[in-house]
Structures are given as structure tokens and as C-alpha cells.
Amino acid sequence: MDLRSYVRDVPDFPRDGIVFRDITPLLLDPRASAAALGLLVEHARGHGPDLVVGIEARGLIWGGALAQALGVGFVPVRKPGKLPAETVSVAYELEYGVDALEVHADAIAAGVRVLVHDDLIATGGTAAATVEAVERLGGSVAACSFLIELAFLGGRDRLTGIEVRSLISYES
Ligand code: AMP
């Protein structure tokens, strides 16, 4: 199945010059969604994670499904101020300025093996910050998976030593 045909390109969103890779057509199609999830599950099983960590916003949708299919727990990583209990926060650089991600401090026990999932890796800043949060809590990242990789931005280079899998790769 050609998963790429279920990704909609939206030019100049959220700002001029950015082509937004919209996965909502993939979510709308249950057969294509199941095929994508099956590939992600197969990859994740090879790493035997104890937990799946999914990144806000679209990483929560696929990450949750992945955790369910693997029969392991799910941990959300969210934008600042969204999680109600005590959090660990990691700042990361954006093209202009700085943002942060948070995870509940009690969500990842020391020694736990984690699979990090997001819908898309671009520069890799978001995923690298998530890896840092997991490691600060004493967990280790077994692998990272993404539906989409913008390979020309070299994001996987920021995840040195971690196995990175993407289902759809854009070279430009
Ligand atoms: P980065 O930290 O640069 O790897 O950016 C990854 C995060 O930003 C992911 O959570 C993506 O959902 C989002 N993102 C970045 N670029 C795009 C894009 N062109 N289309 C859709 N989402 C994007």
C-alpha cells in the first residue's frame, strides 16, 4: 500500500514556505491506518519496549494505538502547562526562539525501555528533547519511530546511537 498517497501536502501552513504534511487523510482511512500501525508495531516489537512515549499532538494518536497493540503502557509528552501532576521539563530550540516539552515525573521508572513515537521528524529537535526527558528520568530509549521523515533536514542525526524508523521519507 502506498501510504504516501494518504498524506496531504498543504503549502504555506502554518506559515509561508512550509509544506505541512497532513496525516488526517491517513487517519480517515481505516485500511491505510491499520497498514501503517501494523508496520509500526512490527518495528516496535523488535525492540521489546516496556512503554511507548508519544509526543503532542499527533504523536498521541498513533503512540496510543501503538501502546495498545503492543500491550504496554503509554506516556504522553506535552506542551508546557498541560500535564496536571509534577513534571520534568526539557527546553529545545525552534527556528525562532525556544519551546519546552513536559512529561510526568513519575511516569518513567529507572531502567525502563521506551519507544518514542511522533507523527513526523523534521529537524529532530522535538524528538531529541523527548529522549533527553526520558533519560533524565532514568529510562533508556530503545528506538524512535515516525510515520514521516523529512530526510533533507537531517533530524535523525540528532538521535545518535538510537535506531530510527520512518514509514514515509521525503528527500526534498
Ligand atoms: P522537529 O522538532 O523540527 O523535528 O519537528 C517535529 C514536530 O513538528 C513534530 O511534532 C511534527 O508534527 C511537527 N512538524 C514539523 N514540520 C512539519 C511539517 N512540515 N508538517 C507537519 N508537521 C510538522
Side-chain angles (χ1 to χ4, degrees):
M1 182 176 287
D2 180 17
L3 293 176
R4 190 183 301 245
S5 65
Y6 293 89
V7 177
R8 173 168 52 192
D9 292 350
V10 184
D12 299 323
F13 183 89
R15 57 173 194 272
D16 284 357
I18 303 285
V19 180
F20 192 87
R21 309 292 179 176
D22 175 23
I23 58 156
T24 60
L26 183 56
L27 290 169
L28 197 55
D29 187 295
R31 262 176 18 98
S33 273
L37 184 61
L39 293 169
L40 293 172
V41 169
E42 191 184 310
H43 163 259
R45 281 219 176 96
H47 293 278
D50 304 306
L51 280 179
V52 173
V53 167
I55 305 172
E56 182 171 353
R58 291 169 297 281
L60 302 181
I61 303 169
W62 293 90
L66 195 48
Q68 281 282 308
L70 292 169
V72 301
F74 176 72
V75 176
V77 163
R78 301 210 56 190
K79 298 283 165 56
K82 301 285 187 185
L83 290 170
E86 189 194 335
T87 59
V88 157
S89 177
V90 176
Y92 65 105
E93 280 183 30
L94 298 173
E95 200 176 345
Y96 304 109
V98 173
D99 206 346
L101 289 171
E102 294 184 346
V103 61
H104 272 148
D106 63 358
I108 300 169
V112 158
R113 283 167 58 79
V114 166
L115 178 102
V116 171
H117 176 76
D118 201 359
D119 69 321
L120 181 147
I121 180 168
T123 66
T126 309
T130 301
V131 169
E132 189 183 331
V134 169
E135 290 177 347
R136 225 194 266 175
L137 290 170
S140 67
V141 176
C144 291
S145 74
F146 306 91
L147 287 165
I148 298 170
E149 175 175 8
L150 305 185
F152 56 95
L153 294 176
R156 64 168 61 225
D157 296 344
R158 298 181 67 172
L159 303 172
T160 4
I162 298 171
E163 204 263 346
V164 175
R165 174 76 196 271
S166 62
L167 302 186
I168 306 163
S169 182
Y170 292 87
E171 303 303 329
S172 61

PDB file of all heavy atoms in Angstrom, residues 83-103:
ATOM      1  N   LEU A  83       0.071  19.097  31.579  1.00  0.00           N
ATOM      2  CA  LEU A  83       0.019  17.918  32.455  1.00  0.00           C
ATOM      3  C   LEU A  83      -0.225  18.370  33.894  1.00  0.00           C
ATOM      4  O   LEU A  83       0.413  19.312  34.372  1.00  0.00           O
ATOM      5  CB  LEU A  83       1.326  17.118  32.349  1.00  0.00           C
ATOM      6  CG  LEU A  83       1.531  16.388  31.026  1.00  0.00           C
ATOM      7  CD1 LEU A  83       2.956  15.838  30.930  1.00  0.00           C
ATOM      8  CD2 LEU A  83       0.522  15.243  30.862  1.00  0.00           C
ATOM      9  N   PRO A  84      -1.126  17.673  34.617  1.00  0.00           N
ATOM     10  CA  PRO A  84      -1.572  18.174  35.920  1.00  0.00           C
ATOM     11  C   PRO A  84      -0.637  17.896  37.101  1.00  0.00           C
ATOM     12  O   PRO A  84      -0.623  18.672  38.051  1.00  0.00           O
ATOM     13  CB  PRO A  84      -2.901  17.440  36.121  1.00  0.00           C
ATOM     14  CG  PRO A  84      -2.754  16.173  35.353  1.00  0.00           C
ATOM     15  CD  PRO A  84      -1.929  16.524  34.154  1.00  0.00           C
ATOM     16  N   ALA A  85       0.119  16.819  37.073  1.00  0.00           N
ATOM     17  CA  ALA A  85       0.947  16.466  38.232  1.00  0.00           C
ATOM     18  C   ALA A  85       2.374  16.987  38.042  1.00  0.00           C
ATOM     19  O   ALA A  85       2.661  17.727  37.096  1.00  0.00           O
ATOM     20  CB  ALA A  85       0.917  14.953  38.429  1.00  0.00           C
ATOM     21  N   GLU A  86       3.273  16.581  38.926  1.00  0.00           N
ATOM     22  CA  GLU A  86       4.655  17.072  38.848  1.00  0.00           C
ATOM     23  C   GLU A  86       5.302  16.627  37.530  1.00  0.00           C
ATOM     24  O   GLU A  86       5.153  15.461  37.127  1.00  0.00           O
ATOM     25  CB  GLU A  86       5.459  16.517  40.031  1.00  0.00           C
ATOM     26  CG  GLU A  86       6.837  17.138  40.159  1.00  0.00           C
ATOM     27  CD  GLU A  86       7.745  16.361  41.112  1.00  0.00           C
ATOM     28  OE1 GLU A  86       7.211  15.674  42.007  1.00  0.00           O
ATOM     29  OE2 GLU A  86       8.964  16.415  40.920  1.00  0.00           O
ATOM     30  N   THR A  87       6.020  17.538  36.895  1.00  0.00           N
ATOM     31  CA  THR A  87       6.618  17.212  35.592  1.00  0.00           C
ATOM     32  C   THR A  87       8.123  17.445  35.568  1.00  0.00           C
ATOM     33  O   THR A  87       8.651  18.182  36.397  1.00  0.00           O
ATOM     34  CB  THR A  87       6.020  18.084  34.463  1.00  0.00           C
ATOM     35  OG1 THR A  87       6.267  19.446  34.771  1.00  0.00           O
ATOM     36  CG2 THR A  87       4.544  17.832  34.264  1.00  0.00           C
ATOM     37  N   VAL A  88       8.751  16.821  34.591  1.00  0.00           N
ATOM     38  CA  VAL A  88      10.122  17.154  34.209  1.00  0.00           C
ATOM     39  C   VAL A  88       9.995  17.895  32.888  1.00  0.00           C
ATOM     40  O   VAL A  88       9.214  17.501  32.020  1.00  0.00           O
ATOM     41  CB  VAL A  88      10.949  15.857  34.042  1.00  0.00           C
ATOM     42  CG1 VAL A  88      12.144  16.078  33.147  1.00  0.00           C
ATOM     43  CG2 VAL A  88      11.398  15.352  35.399  1.00  0.00           C
ATOM     44  N   SER A  89      10.735  18.995  32.741  1.00  0.00           N
ATOM     45  CA  SER A  89      10.599  19.832  31.558  1.00  0.00           C
ATOM     46  C   SER A  89      11.937  19.927  30.828  1.00  0.00           C
ATOM     47  O   SER A  89      12.983  20.066  31.459  1.00  0.00           O
ATOM     48  CB  SER A  89      10.142  21.228  31.999  1.00  0.00           C
ATOM     49  OG  SER A  89      10.076  22.078  30.900  1.00  0.00           O
ATOM     50  N   VAL A  90      11.890  19.839  29.509  1.00  0.00           N
ATOM     51  CA  VAL A  90      13.111  19.975  28.708  1.00  0.00           C
ATOM     52  C   VAL A  90      12.884  21.064  27.670  1.00  0.00           C
ATOM     53  O   VAL A  90      11.925  21.001  26.897  1.00  0.00           O
ATOM     54  CB  VAL A  90      13.477  18.650  28.003  1.00  0.00           C
ATOM     55  CG1 VAL A  90      14.682  18.844  27.094  1.00  0.00           C
ATOM     56  CG2 VAL A  90      13.764  17.559  29.012  1.00  0.00           C
ATOM     57  N   ALA A  91      13.772  22.061  27.653  1.00  0.00           N
ATOM     58  CA  ALA A  91      13.668  23.147  26.673  1.00  0.00           C
ATOM     59  C   ALA A  91      14.386  22.729  25.390  1.00  0.00           C
ATOM     60  O   ALA A  91      15.350  21.968  25.426  1.00  0.00           O
ATOM     61  CB  ALA A  91      14.293  24.409  27.236  1.00  0.00           C
ATOM     62  N   TYR A  92      13.910  23.193  24.266  1.00  0.00           N
ATOM     63  CA  TYR A  92      14.591  22.922  23.000  1.00  0.00           C
ATOM     64  C   TYR A  92      14.421  24.109  22.065  1.00  0.00           C
ATOM     65  O   TYR A  92      13.464  24.873  22.182  1.00  0.00           O
ATOM     66  CB  TYR A  92      14.120  21.622  22.360  1.00  0.00           C
ATOM     67  CG  TYR A  92      12.684  21.613  21.929  1.00  0.00           C
ATOM     68  CD1 TYR A  92      12.338  21.721  20.574  1.00  0.00           C
ATOM     69  CD2 TYR A  92      11.658  21.491  22.850  1.00  0.00           C
ATOM     70  CE1 TYR A  92      11.023  21.697  20.169  1.00  0.00           C
ATOM     71  CE2 TYR A  92      10.329  21.478  22.457  1.00  0.00           C
ATOM     72  CZ  TYR A  92      10.023  21.571  21.113  1.00  0.00           C
ATOM     73  OH  TYR A  92       8.714  21.558  20.725  1.00  0.00           O
ATOM     74  N   GLU A  93      15.361  24.211  21.129  1.00  0.00           N
ATOM     75  CA  GLU A  93      15.372  25.375  20.247  1.00  0.00           C
ATOM     76  C   GLU A  93      14.479  25.192  19.031  1.00  0.00           C
ATOM     77  O   GLU A  93      14.459  24.132  18.419  1.00  0.00           O
ATOM     78  CB  GLU A  93      16.801  25.657  19.777  1.00  0.00           C
ATOM     79  CG  GLU A  93      17.593  26.392  20.833  1.00  0.00           C
ATOM     80  CD  GLU A  93      18.993  26.737  20.365  1.00  0.00           C
ATOM     81  OE1 GLU A  93      19.183  26.935  19.157  1.00  0.00           O
ATOM     82  OE2 GLU A  93      19.871  26.809  21.241  1.00  0.00           O
ATOM     83  N   LEU A  94      13.747  26.239  18.720  1.00  0.00           N
ATOM     84  CA  LEU A  94      12.968  26.279  17.483  1.00  0.00           C
ATOM     85  C   LEU A  94      13.729  27.168  16.504  1.00  0.00           C
ATOM     86  O   LEU A  94      14.752  27.754  16.869  1.00  0.00           O
ATOM     87  CB  LEU A  94      11.596  26.899  17.744  1.00  0.00           C
ATOM     88  CG  LEU A  94      10.696  26.171  18.721  1.00  0.00           C
ATOM     89  CD1 LEU A  94       9.461  26.991  18.986  1.00  0.00           C
ATOM     90  CD2 LEU A  94      10.312  24.817  18.141  1.00  0.00           C
ATOM     91  N   GLU A  95      13.205  27.265  15.285  1.00  0.00           N
ATOM     92  CA  GLU A  95      13.859  28.136  14.311  1.00  0.00           C
ATOM     93  C   GLU A  95      13.988  29.559  14.880  1.00  0.00           C
ATOM     94  O   GLU A  95      15.020  30.185  14.778  1.00  0.00           O
ATOM     95  CB  GLU A  95      13.031  28.146  13.026  1.00  0.00           C
ATOM     96  CG  GLU A  95      13.810  28.592  11.832  1.00  0.00           C
ATOM     97  CD  GLU A  95      12.974  28.484  10.572  1.00  0.00           C
ATOM     98  OE1 GLU A  95      11.926  27.804  10.601  1.00  0.00           O
ATOM     99  OE2 GLU A  95      13.379  29.085   9.577  1.00  0.00           O
ATOM    100  N   TYR A  96      12.918  30.026  15.512  1.00  0.00           N
ATOM    101  CA  TYR A  96      12.951  31.322  16.179  1.00  0.00           C
ATOM    102  C   TYR A  96      12.521  31.109  17.618  1.00  0.00           C
ATOM    103  O   TYR A  96      11.352  30.910  17.875  1.00  0.00           O
ATOM    104  CB  TYR A  96      11.988  32.326  15.522  1.00  0.00           C
ATOM    105  CG  TYR A  96      12.225  32.519  14.048  1.00  0.00           C
ATOM    106  CD1 TYR A  96      11.324  32.037  13.113  1.00  0.00           C
ATOM    107  CD2 TYR A  96      13.361  33.175  13.594  1.00  0.00           C
ATOM    108  CE1 TYR A  96      11.546  32.203  11.769  1.00  0.00           C
ATOM    109  CE2 TYR A  96      13.600  33.347  12.255  1.00  0.00           C
ATOM    110  CZ  TYR A  96      12.690  32.864  11.339  1.00  0.00           C
ATOM    111  OH  TYR A  96      12.917  33.026  10.004  1.00  0.00           O
ATOM    112  N   GLY A  97      13.495  31.109  18.516  1.00  0.00           N
ATOM    113  CA  GLY A  97      13.147  31.026  19.931  1.00  0.00           C
ATOM    114  C   GLY A  97      13.265  29.639  20.521  1.00  0.00           C
ATOM    115  O   GLY A  97      13.929  28.765  19.968  1.00  0.00           O
ATOM    116  N   VAL A  98      12.619  29.458  21.665  1.00  0.00           N
ATOM    117  CA  VAL A  98      12.758  28.244  22.454  1.00  0.00           C
ATOM    118  C   VAL A  98      11.379  27.746  22.856  1.00  0.00           C
ATOM    119  O   VAL A  98      10.475  28.537  23.093  1.00  0.00           O
ATOM    120  CB  VAL A  98      13.597  28.559  23.736  1.00  0.00           C
ATOM    121  CG1 VAL A  98      13.627  27.378  24.679  1.00  0.00           C
ATOM    122  CG2 VAL A  98      15.011  28.949  23.372  1.00  0.00           C
ATOM    123  N   ASP A  99      11.205  26.433  22.894  1.00  0.00           N
ATOM    124  CA  ASP A  99       9.956  25.849  23.392  1.00  0.00           C
ATOM    125  C   ASP A  99      10.331  24.791  24.433  1.00  0.00           C
ATOM    126  O   ASP A  99      11.508  24.559  24.690  1.00  0.00           O
ATOM    127  CB  ASP A  99       9.167  25.221  22.236  1.00  0.00           C
ATOM    128  CG  ASP A  99       7.666  25.185  22.528  1.00  0.00           C
ATOM    129  OD1 ASP A  99       7.291  25.384  23.698  1.00  0.00           O
ATOM    130  OD2 ASP A  99       6.897  24.954  21.593  1.00  0.00           O
ATOM    131  N   ALA A 100       9.353  24.170  25.024  1.00  0.00           N
ATOM    132  CA  ALA A 100       9.649  23.133  26.010  1.00  0.00           C
ATOM    133  C   ALA A 100       8.617  22.027  25.916  1.00  0.00           C
ATOM    134  O   ALA A 100       7.511  22.218  25.393  1.00  0.00           O
ATOM    135  CB  ALA A 100       9.659  23.733  27.408  1.00  0.00           C
ATOM    136  N   LEU A 101       9.005  20.860  26.414  1.00  0.00           N
ATOM    137  CA  LEU A 101       8.108  19.715  26.486  1.00  0.00           C
ATOM    138  C   LEU A 101       8.124  19.208  27.919  1.00  0.00           C
ATOM    139  O   LEU A 101       9.136  19.319  28.616  1.00  0.00           O
ATOM    140  CB  LEU A 101       8.597  18.591  25.561  1.00  0.00           C
ATOM    141  CG  LEU A 101       8.467  18.838  24.068  1.00  0.00           C
ATOM    142  CD1 LEU A 101       9.184  17.736  23.298  1.00  0.00           C
ATOM    143  CD2 LEU A 101       7.000  18.902  23.659  1.00  0.00           C
ATOM    144  N   GLU A 102       7.006  18.623  28.344  1.00  0.00           N
ATOM    145  CA  GLU A 102       6.923  18.113  29.712  1.00  0.00           C
ATOM    146  C   GLU A 102       6.431  16.679  29.739  1.00  0.00           C
ATOM    147  O   GLU A 102       5.643  16.258  28.876  1.00  0.00           O
ATOM    148  CB  GLU A 102       5.973  18.989  30.541  1.00  0.00           C
ATOM    149  CG  GLU A 102       6.504  20.402  30.724  1.00  0.00           C
ATOM    150  CD  GLU A 102       5.638  21.277  31.618  1.00  0.00           C
ATOM    151  OE1 GLU A 102       4.475  20.892  31.889  1.00  0.00           O
ATOM    152  OE2 GLU A 102       6.104  22.341  32.027  1.00  0.00           O
ATOM    153  N   VAL A 103       6.887  15.961  30.771  1.00  0.00           N
ATOM    154  CA  VAL A 103       6.421  14.592  30.990  1.00  0.00           C
ATOM    155  C   VAL A 103       6.229  14.428  32.496  1.00  0.00           C
ATOM    156  O   VAL A 103       6.954  15.049  33.288  1.00  0.00           O
ATOM    157  CB  VAL A 103       7.436  13.560  30.407  1.00  0.00           C
ATOM    158  CG1 VAL A 103       8.795  13.663  31.056  1.00  0.00           C
ATOM    159  CG2 VAL A 103       6.919  12.143  30.491  1.00  0.00           C
TER     160      VAL A 103
END
